[in-house]
Amino acid sequence: MFEFSEIQNIYYILPLAGLIIGLFGTFLGGGGGFFFLPILTLLIGVPTQTAVITSLVATLPICIVGSLGHFHKGNIDFKVGLKFGLAGIFGTFIGASITSIITADQLKISFGIYSITIALNLVVTTWRKNRAENIKAEIKTLTGFSRNMQSSFFGFFAGAIVGTFGTSGTAPVLTGLLALRLPLKLVIGTSLLVVLSNTIFAVGAHFLIGKIDFTLVCFLTVGSVVGAIIGPKFLSKMKTDKSENKLRYLYAAIIVVLGILMIMG
């Protein structure tokens, strides 16, 4: 269940990587697990199944600190977050069962394909939103049923991604929250809360079938917690109405690059 790997020289760059991931994770509404998995598998060479649960555990401190920071800034919609979180619980257990029956290479390729797909979806939805704003088109108000269906679908999908890949599942959560047309600050804060819920249940689902490398967890979280504290403070000072679309495109570009690396790696 638990192991402490021997410290290698490359481990000493992990606090810096954790700082950057923690900063941008809470800044963009994620726990950083999306970036932890490629670092552990491609850079450190950790076995994929061990990397999955280690990534999940390393994500928890970022989610906790980041969620508290956004809560104090009033950036969380608890009603929407509850809908995503409840659906995500079922997804995490299904995802964990998938991980136990596929090979490491299949897991990496699947993660890469998922990354590119979700990035393309984010680009398309952002382009449509930007186009509607430019021509001053009226955006239809979502009905209660439509909001509930979208929340359930993206919440379940996010949970399944967390359970399968050990990532934070941020991409489908962000996509779903953005589709509900929430303000960007609420999207980011609520996303962290949903990711925290999914990660907790995913850790529980993986606990009996995987090994947690606490040496790597410690090195990653030393920096990531500091970044998670700084992230919400930076966001509260930003005028996100002007930079929202640029942030979406930047996030999509990063996701595509990581997806390609995982497929090739």
Side-chain angles (χ1 to χ4, degrees):
M1 308 299 177
F2 305 99
E3 65 179 12
F4 292 87
S5 60
E6 183 178 349
I7 297 176
Q8 304 176 29
N9 290 334
I10 197 170
Y11 284 19
Y12 293 105
I13 71 170
L14 294 180
L16 177 60
L19 173 65
I20 297 171
I21 292 170
L23 174 62
F24 283 96
T26 54
F27 195 72
L28 295 173
F34 191 95
F35 303 100
F36 284 150
L37 186 64
I39 288 175
L40 292 175
T41 55
L42 299 178
L43 186 62
I44 308 297
V46 178
T48 307
Q49 278 75 14
T50 300
V52 167
I53 189 168
T54 300
S55 172
L56 284 169
V57 176
T59 299
L60 280 174
I62 301 178
C63 294
I64 294 171
V65 174
S67 294
L68 287 173
H70 282 290
F71 170 72
H72 289 304
K73 299 293 181 181
N75 294 337
I76 296 180
D77 187 325
F78 285 98
K79 185 176 180 180
V80 172
L82 179 62
K83 294 175 183 178
F84 272 77
L86 289 175
I89 292 173
F90 297 99
T92 57
F93 286 98
I94 291 177
S97 64
I98 293 174
T99 302
S100 63
I101 61 175
I102 62 176
T103 66
D105 288 338
Q106 289 173 335
L107 191 63
K108 288 181 180 179
I109 293 173
S110 299
F111 177 80
I113 295 173
Y114 147 73
S115 302
I116 294 172
T117 302
I118 207 72
L120 291 176
N121 179 72
L122 185 57
V123 168
V124 171
T125 55
T126 302
W127 176 80
R128 287 177 177 173
K129 176 179 177 293
N130 191 43
R131 181 171 177 272
E133 290 174 349
N134 289 336
I135 63 176
K136 297 181 179 180
E138 183 179 351
I139 300 177
K140 295 182 180 179
T141 302
L142 294 175
T143 63
F145 176 77
S146 179
R147 290 174 67 88
N148 289 335
M149 288 299 295
Q150 289 199 40
S151 298
S152 299
F153 171 76
F154 284 105
F156 176 85
F157 186 33
I161 293 301
V162 174
T164 304
F165 300 120
T167 70
S168 55
T170 306
V173 174
L174 284 177
T175 302
L177 292 173
L178 290 169
L180 296 179
R181 296 155 194 166
L182 296 178
L184 184 61
K185 290 183 180 180
L186 273 182
V187 167
I188 294 173
T190 306
S191 174
L192 268 170
L193 181 66
V194 175
V195 168
L196 172 61
S197 172
N198 286 344
T199 303
I200 290 173
F201 282 97
V203 169
H206 276 279
F207 186 74
L208 297 177
I209 60 175
K211 293 181 180 180
I212 305 171
D213 190 328
F214 271 106
T215 303
L216 289 170
V217 170
C218 291
F219 272 91
L220 286 169
T221 54
V222 163
S224 63
V225 169
V226 176
I229 294 172
I230 298 173
K233 295 182 179 179
F234 271 113
L235 183 67
S236 65
K237 297 178 181 179
M238 279 188 60
K239 295 182 178 179
T240 54
D241 54 336
K242 295 183 179 180
S243 56
E244 181 174 343
N245 289 335
K246 291 181 181 180
L247 285 174
R248 291 184 182 186
Y249 286 128
L250 174 62
Y251 187 75
I254 294 173
I255 292 174
V256 169
V257 171
L258 288 177
I260 293 172
L261 288 176
M262 288 297 284
I263 293 173
M264 295 175 61

